[in-house]
Amino acid sequence: MSPIRDHLSLLRERRFAALFAARTLSMLGLAFAPVALAFGVLGLPGADAGTLSLVVAAEAIPHVLGLLLGGVVADRYPRRFVMFTGECLSLVAWLGIGIMFLVGWAPIPVVCAFAVLTGLAGAVVWPVLSGIIPEVAPAGHLQSANALLAVGANVARIGGLIAAGAIVVLIGPGWALVGAAAIHGAAATFAWRIGSTPRPGREGGTSVVAELREGWVEFSSREWLWVVVAQFALLILAWQGAHTVLGPVVAEAELGGAGAWSAILTGEAVGMLVGVVIALRIRPRRPILLGVLLTSLTALPYLLLGVGAPLPLIVLGGFVMGLGMDTFTVLWQTTMQREVPPEALSRVASYDAFGSMLFGPVGVLLAGPAAVHLGAHRALLVCAALILLSSLLALLSRDVRTLRAPVDITPVPEGEYTSPVDPVV
């Protein structure tokens, strides 16, 4: 087992360090959004849970629909440039919404239009991440690279959530979103500094449809992959409604508002940080089995919110959820990067993200009416039950239960990094 200093030595590689900075800053900017956007919208005259559902859906729908095209783009063009473009889109979108909140003119259709832009930015950035990591990380160090990026992202998430909660409470959500825009600008700068990256796919003209078909073959031929994606389609359906609408509604009505919701999200982010530190150290023989078991912990905070538990207990539930989810994420990303050919990795990642998030907008759109007709507490309990059910169904797959990680990965001495291709198992 490599000591921590060996993992940290990756940060001495210039290109990986630039990617680390870009990803960390991007997550810092995104950490402002859940608190600032939710309570900025809820603070508008006449706004309610249905209004928030509409705005969040305006972001979620183009995000999901754009993922497949984003995967083709990330496998066709230099990934450094694609990442830079996505960060610039986020800068423009959050700056626009923030300025509207500051000047007191924020008609919902215009807010939704900028929310569409944030969704498209996510559709560009998400697929490129899976593909760019093997290009800048040394061979045999993929799990360490994924874990270090997740550590940076979660430290940023913790700081961003704490800062966003304080800024929203003290001076308003508009300033929080303007700050997020500036941070995405800094992330774009570091993305550009990653340096030139090759065109991932083969040379020559191929159609988007042909490239999507090739990606589908790689995706659908691996049962463990599509089963877990199907699991996440149900899990995210429940999570999106609970996390983006029902949770903030209960926090606003019963727990003290933005400060309480920020505390819950901070607990989740601290759990994620602990989860990736764990992921740095473990090498499970059956990573997907362990990962699926850990995803069932996602139900805990919404179960606690649903039964009206006190705030400290809900924060603890968020911590447990974050620990399980980010340990899973590192194991999942590393397994995909080992099992999928590099030239198809972004397209497979886009099918992963598209399938996982396919029903997320449905969950968002249903959450507002569910809060009205069932009550927010009952709706949260339904969400928790769906999350648990999704994990149990995934475990029915033999491939999910039996896929094994490589027994040995030959370490690469410092300063001798060569081809960014993981050993074929």
Side-chain angles (χ1 to χ4, degrees):
M1 186 178 297
S2 300
I4 293 294
R5 65 176 177 273
D6 287 347
H7 298 303
L8 294 177
S9 68
L10 289 172
L11 296 174
R12 290 201 288 269
E13 292 296 304
R14 181 189 63 80
R15 298 175 70 211
F16 181 80
L19 174 61
F20 179 86
R23 178 61 174 159
T24 300
L25 286 167
S26 182
M27 292 306 300
L28 179 62
L30 286 174
F32 280 72
V35 178
L37 182 63
F39 290 95
V41 171
L42 289 173
L44 296 175
D48 57 13
T51 311
L52 181 57
S53 286
L54 184 63
V55 174
V56 175
E59 178 182 8
I61 291 171
H63 178 81
V64 171
L65 296 180
L67 281 168
L68 294 182
L69 183 59
V72 171
V73 169
D75 275 342
R76 177 177 284 193
Y77 299 104
R79 288 170 174 145
R80 179 270 301 259
F81 178 75
V82 176
M83 191 173 183
F84 170 82
T85 302
E87 296 298 339
C88 289
L89 290 175
S90 292
L91 184 160
V92 173
W94 293 124
L95 182 63
I97 298 174
I99 290 174
M100 285 195 294
F101 285 163
L102 286 175
V103 301
W105 181 82
I108 294 302
V110 182
V111 174
C112 287
F114 278 109
V116 167
L117 195 59
T118 69
L120 292 174
V124 169
V125 170
W126 181 258
V128 81
L129 282 171
S130 291
I132 201 170
I133 293 170
E135 290 182 347
V136 301
H141 284 64
L142 286 179
Q143 186 163 329
S144 296
N146 283 305
L148 282 175
L149 289 169
V151 168
N154 284 305
V155 169
R157 187 181 285 113
I158 294 168
L161 288 169
I162 294 172
I167 293 172
V168 169
V169 170
L170 296 175
I171 58 177
W175 285 112
L177 292 178
V178 169
I183 293 167
H184 278 290
T189 300
F190 278 101
W192 192 258
R193 293 186 64 182
I194 291 171
S196 61
T197 53
R199 179 187 183 277
R202 61 178 178 269
E203 297 297 330
T206 56
S207 70
V208 170
V209 173
E211 293 194 29
L212 283 173
R213 188 182 302 117
E214 291 173 1
W216 174 255
V217 170
E218 295 289 349
F219 173 82
S220 61
S221 64
R222 294 167 172 84
E223 181 181 310
W224 60 269
L225 205 164
W226 62 258
V227 166
V228 175
V229 169
Q231 173 208 351
F232 265 71
L234 184 57
L235 186 151
I236 299 264
L237 167 70
W239 178 85
Q240 282 274 38
H243 199 74
T244 62
V245 178
L246 298 171
V249 166
V250 171
E252 176 77 1
E254 302 173 13
L255 299 175
W261 188 241
S262 180
I264 294 168
L265 296 182
T266 302
E268 176 191 345
V270 173
M272 288 180 168
L273 178 59
V274 174
V276 296
V277 171
I278 292 171
L280 272 172
R281 306 293 294 173
I282 64 172
R283 294 295 185 271
R285 293 291 295 119
R286 299 182 182 183
I288 303 303
L289 172 61
L290 176 60
V292 168
L293 291 171
L294 290 170
T295 61
S296 65
L297 300 174
T298 306
L300 185 57
Y302 310 118
L303 176 63
L304 293 170
L305 278 164
V307 300
L311 179 60
L313 194 56
I314 300 169
V315 171
L316 179 60
F319 170 86
V320 173
M321 177 181 79
L323 185 153
M325 189 54 73
D326 253 34
T327 305
F328 161 81
T329 299
V330 172
L331 297 176
W332 178 254
Q333 291 281 0
T334 303
T335 303
M336 275 213 306
Q337 290 158 1
R338 285 174 179 155
E339 299 287 334
V340 177
E343 65 273 10
L345 192 51
S346 288
R347 278 169 290 170
V348 170
S350 72
Y351 277 111
D352 167 23
F354 176 79
S356 298
M357 299 178 184
L358 182 61
F359 299 121
V362 177
V364 171
L365 290 171
L366 291 177
V372 172
H373 296 291
L374 294 178
H377 288 281
R378 287 184 180 177
L380 282 161
L381 292 176
V382 171
C383 291
L386 286 174
I387 290 169
L388 289 172
L389 177 63
S390 71
S391 299
L392 291 174
L393 291 174
L395 292 174
L396 296 176
S397 165
R398 184 177 183 276
D399 276 13
V400 166
R401 299 193 308 270
T402 61
L403 182 73
R404 292 180 178 270
V407 176
D408 294 306
I409 298 177
T410 304
V412 178
E414 292 183 26
E416 297 182 17
Y417 303 140
T418 54
S419 174
V421 178
D422 216 39
V424 176
V425 179

